[in-house]
Amino acid sequence: MAEAVRMPLLSDTMKEGVIAEWHKKVGDTVKADDVIAEVETDKATMEVIPYVDGTLLYLGVEKGKGVPVNGIMAIIGKPGEDFQSILSAEGLAPAPANAEPASAPVAAEPAATVAETAPAVSSSDDRVKASPLAKKVAQEKGVDIHVVKGTGDGGRIIKRDVETFAPAAEAPKTSKAPVAAVPAMPVGQEGYTDIPNSQMRRIIAQRLGESKFGAPHFYLRMTLNMDKAIEARKAINDVSPVKVSFNDLIIKASAMALRQHPAINSSWMGEFIRQNHHIHIGTAVAVDDGLIVPVVKFADQKSLSQIAQEAGSLIDKARTKKIQPNEFTGNTFTISNLGMMDIDEFTAIINPPDSCILAVGKITPTPVVENGAVVVRQLMKVTLSCDHRSVDGSVGAKFLQTLKTFVENPVTMMV
């Protein structure tokens, strides 16, 4: 009996998935563990596996179009099997005879790897045989894809080939794909470029708009003396198996402060306030399409080196779009750190369902007066954005005081 492959829920905020790539065409044989499509969510690009053997009878939408969660992506069954009843039960129009969606995607050749399969482009007209993802990565890295050796089926170049490519000193030059010169803009001529919003950018706009205008924000600012933190970090990294960053110190300090101030570790649920007993700290990470928030779970129970190892791995996965839904969901508190980008201080929009987010600026040598004398201290400014529905000003202030104690005396986090 024919079975529908439905759009899975790949993140807690997902409402629809956009087909980034089809890896099968109607008529192809499909195995239960084949990757039939890549789907772009608001967080990352994920692979979809049908979990059923058979022949691909129907594709619901073309590449670049969205399918709502639990909507029909495709139908798999026996060759020639009638599947129109499945569509009619969903209120969908009957499929045409060939069962392809309008402007159907180009057929994909058999996959080279589970992680990356994509339609190949014929090289008969000086075009290279490579997956779209490989081409995109090559463009971003400035790699001439014509000199990359492909390891995929039929010599197709896949993403891994580009990422591991190391040009030899005598690498041959090629004139197949000259770099296009940027056209000079005539003096006094106006112009603009319209950039289509990605699925991630649309969801960011929706969720943060709802947060900013739905949750009454207020902001608490505090300046932290980082002198001892700088000394402690150096001493820690002399013995730590992984490099501990200042952000790792802030994650640990925040987690321990949250343990003492559970009202901050909460969510506004409408009819009640949920105080979470677990502490899962998200860290905002910039990616090409926007922001994603990998989550270090049970951060209060982990050592600094464990936090550094886990946070580093999650950030790498986020930037390479390999992060999984369970790794960017479940946050109870979020940190947004722009100190490494030379930002003095800023305010951040609360990341739902959290009640608070901590914005962290850079560490700056600053003259201060102590005991009537001017001394230079390494200072860092932080701003706590709070949802006034669930957190009052005094509660947020007490949390920052505790955070300040931990950051300014890191040894207190180790006893």
mmCIF file with all atom_site columns, all heavy atoms in Angstrom, residues 183 185-186 188-196:
data_model
loop_
_atom_site.group_PDB
_atom_site.id
_atom_site.type_symbol
_atom_site.label_atom_id
_atom_site.label_alt_id
_atom_site.label_comp_id
_atom_site.label_asym_id
_atom_site.label_entity_id
_atom_site.label_seq_id
_atom_site.pdbx_PDB_ins_code
_atom_site.Cartn_x
_atom_site.Cartn_y
_atom_site.Cartn_z
_atom_site.occupancy
_atom_site.B_iso_or_equiv
_atom_site.pdbx_formal_charge
_atom_site.auth_seq_id
_atom_site.auth_comp_id
_atom_site.auth_asym_id
_atom_site.auth_atom_id
_atom_site.pdbx_PDB_model_num
ATOM 1  N N   . PRO A 1 183 ? 31.208 45.166 -11.773 1.00 0.00 ? 183 PRO A N   1
ATOM 2  C CA  . PRO A 1 183 ? 30.984 46.317 -12.649 1.00 0.00 ? 183 PRO A CA  1
ATOM 3  C C   . PRO A 1 183 ? 31.058 47.621 -11.868 1.00 0.00 ? 183 PRO A C   1
ATOM 4  O O   . PRO A 1 183 ? 30.588 47.707 -10.735 1.00 0.00 ? 183 PRO A O   1
ATOM 5  C CB  . PRO A 1 183 ? 29.566 46.076 -13.187 1.00 0.00 ? 183 PRO A CB  1
ATOM 6  C CG  . PRO A 1 183 ? 28.923 45.185 -12.180 1.00 0.00 ? 183 PRO A CG  1
ATOM 7  C CD  . PRO A 1 183 ? 30.009 44.328 -11.621 1.00 0.00 ? 183 PRO A CD  1
ATOM 8  N N   . MET A 1 185 ? 30.069 51.157 -10.680 1.00 0.00 ? 185 MET A N   1
ATOM 9  C CA  . MET A 1 185 ? 28.789 51.844 -10.575 1.00 0.00 ? 185 MET A CA  1
ATOM 10 C C   . MET A 1 185 ? 28.944 53.266 -11.088 1.00 0.00 ? 185 MET A C   1
ATOM 11 O O   . MET A 1 185 ? 29.776 54.020 -10.573 1.00 0.00 ? 185 MET A O   1
ATOM 12 C CB  . MET A 1 185 ? 28.329 51.864 -9.104  1.00 0.00 ? 185 MET A CB  1
ATOM 13 C CG  . MET A 1 185 ? 27.005 52.577 -8.891  1.00 0.00 ? 185 MET A CG  1
ATOM 14 S SD  . MET A 1 185 ? 25.619 51.714 -9.682  1.00 0.00 ? 185 MET A SD  1
ATOM 15 C CE  . MET A 1 185 ? 25.531 50.238 -8.655  1.00 0.00 ? 185 MET A CE  1
ATOM 16 N N   . PRO A 1 186 ? 28.207 53.624 -12.120 1.00 0.00 ? 186 PRO A N   1
ATOM 17 C CA  . PRO A 1 186 ? 28.308 54.987 -12.639 1.00 0.00 ? 186 PRO A CA  1
ATOM 18 C C   . PRO A 1 186 ? 28.028 56.015 -11.551 1.00 0.00 ? 186 PRO A C   1
ATOM 19 O O   . PRO A 1 186 ? 27.175 55.802 -10.684 1.00 0.00 ? 186 PRO A O   1
ATOM 20 C CB  . PRO A 1 186 ? 27.223 55.028 -13.722 1.00 0.00 ? 186 PRO A CB  1
ATOM 21 C CG  . PRO A 1 186 ? 27.023 53.596 -14.098 1.00 0.00 ? 186 PRO A CG  1
ATOM 22 C CD  . PRO A 1 186 ? 27.254 52.809 -12.851 1.00 0.00 ? 186 PRO A CD  1
ATOM 23 N N   . GLY A 1 188 ? 26.588 58.781 -9.439  1.00 0.00 ? 188 GLY A N   1
ATOM 24 C CA  . GLY A 1 188 ? 25.259 59.371 -9.350  1.00 0.00 ? 188 GLY A CA  1
ATOM 25 C C   . GLY A 1 188 ? 24.119 58.449 -9.690  1.00 0.00 ? 188 GLY A C   1
ATOM 26 O O   . GLY A 1 188 ? 22.964 58.862 -9.674  1.00 0.00 ? 188 GLY A O   1
ATOM 27 N N   . GLN A 1 189 ? 24.399 57.170 -9.987  1.00 0.00 ? 189 GLN A N   1
ATOM 28 C CA  . GLN A 1 189 ? 23.327 56.237 -10.350 1.00 0.00 ? 189 GLN A CA  1
ATOM 29 C C   . GLN A 1 189 ? 22.856 55.465 -9.127  1.00 0.00 ? 189 GLN A C   1
ATOM 30 O O   . GLN A 1 189 ? 23.663 54.856 -8.427  1.00 0.00 ? 189 GLN A O   1
ATOM 31 C CB  . GLN A 1 189 ? 23.802 55.263 -11.428 1.00 0.00 ? 189 GLN A CB  1
ATOM 32 C CG  . GLN A 1 189 ? 22.714 54.253 -11.842 1.00 0.00 ? 189 GLN A CG  1
ATOM 33 C CD  . GLN A 1 189 ? 23.164 53.401 -13.018 1.00 0.00 ? 189 GLN A CD  1
ATOM 34 O OE1 . GLN A 1 189 ? 23.796 53.901 -13.942 1.00 0.00 ? 189 GLN A OE1 1
ATOM 35 N NE2 . GLN A 1 189 ? 22.828 52.122 -12.977 1.00 0.00 ? 189 GLN A NE2 1
ATOM 36 N N   . GLU A 1 190 ? 21.550 55.487 -8.868  1.00 0.00 ? 190 GLU A N   1
ATOM 37 C CA  . GLU A 1 190 ? 20.997 54.755 -7.742  1.00 0.00 ? 190 GLU A CA  1
ATOM 38 C C   . GLU A 1 190 ? 20.804 53.279 -8.102  1.00 0.00 ? 190 GLU A C   1
ATOM 39 O O   . GLU A 1 190 ? 20.677 52.940 -9.283  1.00 0.00 ? 190 GLU A O   1
ATOM 40 C CB  . GLU A 1 190 ? 19.655 55.351 -7.323  1.00 0.00 ? 190 GLU A CB  1
ATOM 41 C CG  . GLU A 1 190 ? 19.751 56.772 -6.796  1.00 0.00 ? 190 GLU A CG  1
ATOM 42 C CD  . GLU A 1 190 ? 18.396 57.320 -6.390  1.00 0.00 ? 190 GLU A CD  1
ATOM 43 O OE1 . GLU A 1 190 ? 17.370 56.680 -6.737  1.00 0.00 ? 190 GLU A OE1 1
ATOM 44 O OE2 . GLU A 1 190 ? 18.360 58.371 -5.735  1.00 0.00 ? 190 GLU A OE2 1
ATOM 45 N N   . GLY A 1 191 ? 20.782 52.437 -7.101  1.00 0.00 ? 191 GLY A N   1
ATOM 46 C CA  . GLY A 1 191 ? 20.568 51.017 -7.358  1.00 0.00 ? 191 GLY A CA  1
ATOM 47 C C   . GLY A 1 191 ? 20.309 50.265 -6.070  1.00 0.00 ? 191 GLY A C   1
ATOM 48 O O   . GLY A 1 191 ? 20.519 50.785 -4.973  1.00 0.00 ? 191 GLY A O   1
ATOM 49 N N   . TYR A 1 192 ? 19.838 49.048 -6.167  1.00 0.00 ? 192 TYR A N   1
ATOM 50 C CA  . TYR A 1 192 ? 19.620 48.204 -5.004  1.00 0.00 ? 192 TYR A CA  1
ATOM 51 C C   . TYR A 1 192 ? 19.543 46.748 -5.446  1.00 0.00 ? 192 TYR A C   1
ATOM 52 O O   . TYR A 1 192 ? 19.404 46.447 -6.629  1.00 0.00 ? 192 TYR A O   1
ATOM 53 C CB  . TYR A 1 192 ? 18.337 48.579 -4.254  1.00 0.00 ? 192 TYR A CB  1
ATOM 54 C CG  . TYR A 1 192 ? 17.076 48.480 -5.075  1.00 0.00 ? 192 TYR A CG  1
ATOM 55 C CD1 . TYR A 1 192 ? 16.393 47.268 -5.211  1.00 0.00 ? 192 TYR A CD1 1
ATOM 56 C CD2 . TYR A 1 192 ? 16.561 49.610 -5.706  1.00 0.00 ? 192 TYR A CD2 1
ATOM 57 C CE1 . TYR A 1 192 ? 15.251 47.180 -5.968  1.00 0.00 ? 192 TYR A CE1 1
ATOM 58 C CE2 . TYR A 1 192 ? 15.407 49.531 -6.461  1.00 0.00 ? 192 TYR A CE2 1
ATOM 59 C CZ  . TYR A 1 192 ? 14.750 48.317 -6.592  1.00 0.00 ? 192 TYR A CZ  1
ATOM 60 O OH  . TYR A 1 192 ? 13.615 48.228 -7.339  1.00 0.00 ? 192 TYR A OH  1
ATOM 61 N N   . THR A 1 193 ? 19.678 45.859 -4.465  1.00 0.00 ? 193 THR A N   1
ATOM 62 C CA  . THR A 1 193 ? 19.553 44.428 -4.709  1.00 0.00 ? 193 THR A CA  1
ATOM 63 C C   . THR A 1 193 ? 18.512 43.871 -3.760  1.00 0.00 ? 193 THR A C   1
ATOM 64 O O   . THR A 1 193 ? 18.597 44.094 -2.544  1.00 0.00 ? 193 THR A O   1
ATOM 65 C CB  . THR A 1 193 ? 20.896 43.713 -4.478  1.00 0.00 ? 193 THR A CB  1
ATOM 66 O OG1 . THR A 1 193 ? 21.880 44.248 -5.358  1.00 0.00 ? 193 THR A OG1 1
ATOM 67 C CG2 . THR A 1 193 ? 20.753 42.211 -4.726  1.00 0.00 ? 193 THR A CG2 1
ATOM 68 N N   . ASP A 1 194 ? 17.526 43.172 -4.270  1.00 0.00 ? 194 ASP A N   1
ATOM 69 C CA  . ASP A 1 194 ? 16.522 42.515 -3.443  1.00 0.00 ? 194 ASP A CA  1
ATOM 70 C C   . ASP A 1 194 ? 16.997 41.094 -3.132  1.00 0.00 ? 194 ASP A C   1
ATOM 71 O O   . ASP A 1 194 ? 17.211 40.298 -4.044  1.00 0.00 ? 194 ASP A O   1
ATOM 72 C CB  . ASP A 1 194 ? 15.170 42.466 -4.155  1.00 0.00 ? 194 ASP A CB  1
ATOM 73 C CG  . ASP A 1 194 ? 14.539 43.844 -4.282  1.00 0.00 ? 194 ASP A CG  1
ATOM 74 O OD1 . ASP A 1 194 ? 14.839 44.695 -3.435  1.00 0.00 ? 194 ASP A OD1 1
ATOM 75 O OD2 . ASP A 1 194 ? 13.767 44.055 -5.229  1.00 0.00 ? 194 ASP A OD2 1
ATOM 76 N N   . ILE A 1 195 ? 17.181 40.796 -1.859  1.00 0.00 ? 195 ILE A N   1
ATOM 77 C CA  . ILE A 1 195 ? 17.668 39.493 -1.431  1.00 0.00 ? 195 ILE A CA  1
ATOM 78 C C   . ILE A 1 195 ? 16.516 38.707 -0.815  1.00 0.00 ? 195 ILE A C   1
ATOM 79 O O   . ILE A 1 195 ? 15.966 39.125 0.209   1.00 0.00 ? 195 ILE A O   1
ATOM 80 C CB  . ILE A 1 195 ? 18.804 39.643 -0.404  1.00 0.00 ? 195 ILE A CB  1
ATOM 81 C CG1 . ILE A 1 195 ? 19.956 40.468 -0.998  1.00 0.00 ? 195 ILE A CG1 1
ATOM 82 C CG2 . ILE A 1 195 ? 19.296 38.278 0.065   1.00 0.00 ? 195 ILE A CG2 1
ATOM 83 C CD1 . ILE A 1 195 ? 21.036 40.811 -0.005  1.00 0.00 ? 195 ILE A CD1 1
ATOM 84 N N   . PRO A 1 196 ? 16.097 37.606 -1.428  1.00 0.00 ? 196 PRO A N   1
ATOM 85 C CA  . PRO A 1 196 ? 14.978 36.826 -0.876  1.00 0.00 ? 196 PRO A CA  1
ATOM 86 C C   . PRO A 1 196 ? 15.292 36.348 0.539   1.00 0.00 ? 196 PRO A C   1
ATOM 87 O O   . PRO A 1 196 ? 16.433 35.980 0.861   1.00 0.00 ? 196 PRO A O   1
ATOM 88 C CB  . PRO A 1 196 ? 14.858 35.637 -1.840  1.00 0.00 ? 196 PRO A CB  1
ATOM 89 C CG  . PRO A 1 196 ? 15.538 36.087 -3.098  1.00 0.00 ? 196 PRO A CG  1
ATOM 90 C CD  . PRO A 1 196 ? 16.634 37.012 -2.661  1.00 0.00 ? 196 PRO A CD  1
#
